Amino acid sequence: MGSAWPAMFQDLDVPISGAGIISLIINLGIITSSLLSNRLTRSFGTGVIAAVSLAIMATALWGFSLSHSFFLLCLWAVPYGLGAGGLDAAINNYVAIHYASRYMSWLHCMWGIGVTTGPLIMGHALASGASWNGGYDTVALIQAGMTAFLLLSLPIWNKRQAGNEQQNDGENNGKILSLKEIFRIPGVPEAMVCFFCYCSLENSAMLWVSSYMHLQEGLAVETASALTGMFCLGITIGRGLNGFVAMRVSDTQMVRIGMGILFVGVVILFLPAGSYVAVAAFVLIGLGCAPIYPSLLHATPDRFGKERSRAIIGVQIACAHVGVCIMPPLFGFIARYFSVGLLPCYLFGLLALMICMNERLNKKVREAKEVR
């Protein structure tokens, strides 16, 4: 939507801020379905939930392609968010339980490739005169193809699930936990704050990097805009490389390494060393972001138990999207009424809280394992 919105808001005759409303609706849908994912995946299985979620998203994208009013876009944003949250929670839990850490990094590397590919598809549609509706139509067809592929693969998912139940790996054991019970698990509140801080930092940097570089560092608009792509590319390349590093390094170490790189990148932003150094700092911030989210997710079954991981991962993803809803827009108000130059301070505050909560999380997990 970010790449299409300059054409969309003029076409629809709505304020430029309208994208924020659609984004908020999508994220609220993601939060809702993430919190429900434990019950749904337990009842129907990961394969079915993934296929249905993809089908819902494909339908919503097709709805976007047919929409010619802002109200309809808001309407279709509801199923899109619900499908995205269900898919996110189900797949992440499945990979966290059944695959090594490197596969989680590569899974999220694919997210980076998708983030890069989507705007390219939309840009091609706009350049060829097909309008933004045509861009959404293309992505809806791709998503429909993915849905069909997943439906055809359901026997494999079901066979794997049956084998897992025979092995008693804990994925489908235990009772369904309420939110109150989840919050009482030692380390869960700290993990939730980590996810909140990480996605707040990542999305704040992604949203405001170009504005910061243009208004604070004096780069030309087109040059500053390209930095958003470089930031996402840094995350994508980092996650591709992290898959190999994770073969020898634990999830806890991967998170600490990422936070260390993030710290260096943010500190460099405070130095009065010119725009090129600031560009290097944002690339470092992207590389530092790369291992944190997938490694935190992959560590969940080991930290809290496989029988509770699905419920906890759903809550963690919901908390991450609460951060996406609140913190990037909050910095918009700070930039408007004070200065966009405060972005390094904003990122540093989120990073400091995340580091503190991560160390508290590690300590509580160690203590809980010693008690067991």
Side-chain angles (χ1 to χ4, degrees), residues 24-39:
L24 178 63
I25 293 170
I26 290 172
N27 278 290
L28 289 174
I30 292 172
I31 292 166
T32 302
S33 55
S34 295
L35 293 174
L36 294 172
S37 65
N38 183 28
R39 293 178 180 274

Side-chain angles (χ1 to χ4, degrees), residues 1 3-12 22 61-70 72-73 121-123 125-127 129-139:
M1 180 164 290
S3 58
W5 190 247
M8 291 174 70
F9 86 88
Q10 295 180 58
D11 226 13
L12 300 169
I22 298 172
L61 287 167
W62 175 71
F64 284 169
S65 74
L66 298 177
S67 298
H68 295 281
S69 74
F70 183 70
L72 284 176
L73 287 175
I121 292 172
M122 183 61 73
L126 293 172
S131 83
W132 57 268
N133 300 85
Y136 276 114
D137 194 41
T138 301
V139 179

Side-chain angles (χ1 to χ4, degrees), residues 11-335:
D11 226 13
L12 300 169
D13 194 27
V14 295
I16 193 170
S17 58
I21 296 172
I22 298 172
S23 177
L24 178 63
I25 293 170
I26 290 172
N27 278 290
L28 289 174
I30 292 172
I31 292 166
T32 302
S33 55
S34 295
L35 293 174
L36 294 172
S37 65
N38 183 28
R39 293 178 180 274
L40 294 173
T41 308
R42 185 184 177 90
S43 300
F44 301 104
T46 304
V48 171
I49 293 300
V52 171
S53 296
L54 271 175
I56 291 171
M57 292 171 70
T59 304
L61 287 167
W62 175 71
F64 284 169
S65 74
L66 298 177
S67 298
H68 295 281
S69 74
F70 183 70
F71 173 76
L72 284 176
L73 287 175
C74 291
L75 200 64
W76 285 112
V78 175
Y80 185 86
L82 292 172
L87 180 70
D88 200 0
I91 293 294
N92 274 301
N93 181 68
Y94 189 85
V95 173
I97 287 179
H98 300 299
Y99 292 93
S101 180
R102 61 183 180 272
Y103 294 106
M104 184 67 88
S105 286
W106 290 332
L107 174 71
H108 287 267
C109 176
M110 295 300 105
W111 168 85
I113 293 173
V115 167
T116 306
T117 305
L120 292 176
I121 292 172
M122 183 61 73
H124 177 74
L126 293 172
S128 63
S131 83
W132 57 268
N133 300 85
Y136 276 114
D137 194 41
T138 301
V139 179
L141 287 171
I142 294 171
Q143 197 93 319
M146 291 168 60
T147 304
F149 184 80
L150 244 161
L151 286 170
L152 290 172
S153 72
L154 277 180
I156 302 172
W157 291 83
N158 294 334
K159 183 179 179 181
R160 178 75 181 260
Q161 188 173 6
N164 291 335
E165 288 170 356
Q166 289 177 2
Q167 293 170 20
N168 194 28
D169 67 357
E171 182 185 3
N172 294 306
N173 296 334
K175 65 175 184 176
I176 298 215
L177 301 173
S178 66
L179 285 176
K180 189 175 181 180
E181 290 171 320
I182 292 170
F183 293 153
R184 286 178 175 173
I185 299 171
V188 166
E190 288 80 6
M192 291 170 63
V193 176
C194 282
F195 276 86
F196 177 90
C197 289
Y198 171 76
C199 279
S200 297
L201 189 153
E202 178 197 83
N203 283 270
S204 295
M206 197 182 302
L207 181 62
W208 296 108
V209 56
S210 60
S211 298
Y212 176 85
M213 293 304 296
H214 172 60
L215 298 172
Q216 187 69 20
E217 299 294 338
L219 288 186
V221 173
E222 57 274 14
T223 306
S225 297
L227 284 176
T228 304
M230 287 180 64
F231 178 79
C232 294
L233 189 63
I235 296 177
T236 305
I237 292 172
R239 286 177 177 168
L241 296 174
N242 289 337
F244 298 100
V245 178
M247 295 178 186
R248 296 183 176 275
V249 178
S250 70
D251 289 320
T252 300
Q253 291 171 316
M254 290 289 288
V255 172
R256 284 174 171 160
I257 290 169
M259 289 181 180
I261 297 171
L262 257 177
F263 180 82
V264 173
V266 173
V267 167
I268 290 174
L269 284 178
F270 286 96
L271 303 177
S275 59
Y276 291 107
V277 174
V279 169
F282 275 109
V283 173
L284 268 179
I285 291 170
L287 289 171
C289 284
I292 296 174
Y293 192 79
S295 297
L296 283 173
L297 281 170
H298 189 266
T300 303
D302 179 62
R303 284 173 167 165
F304 304 111
K306 291 179 179 179
E307 71 281 359
R308 299 188 291 192
S309 69
R310 189 190 299 126
I312 294 172
I313 282 179
V315 170
Q316 288 175 157
I317 290 174
C319 206
H321 283 276
V322 170
V324 174
C325 287
I326 296 173
M327 300 308 285
L330 176 60
F331 183 76
F333 286 103
I334 294 172

Side-chain angles (χ1 to χ4, degrees), residues 341-353:
L342 292 173
L343 183 61
C345 299
Y346 196 71
L347 298 180
F348 187 84
L350 289 168
L351 176 59
L353 179 58

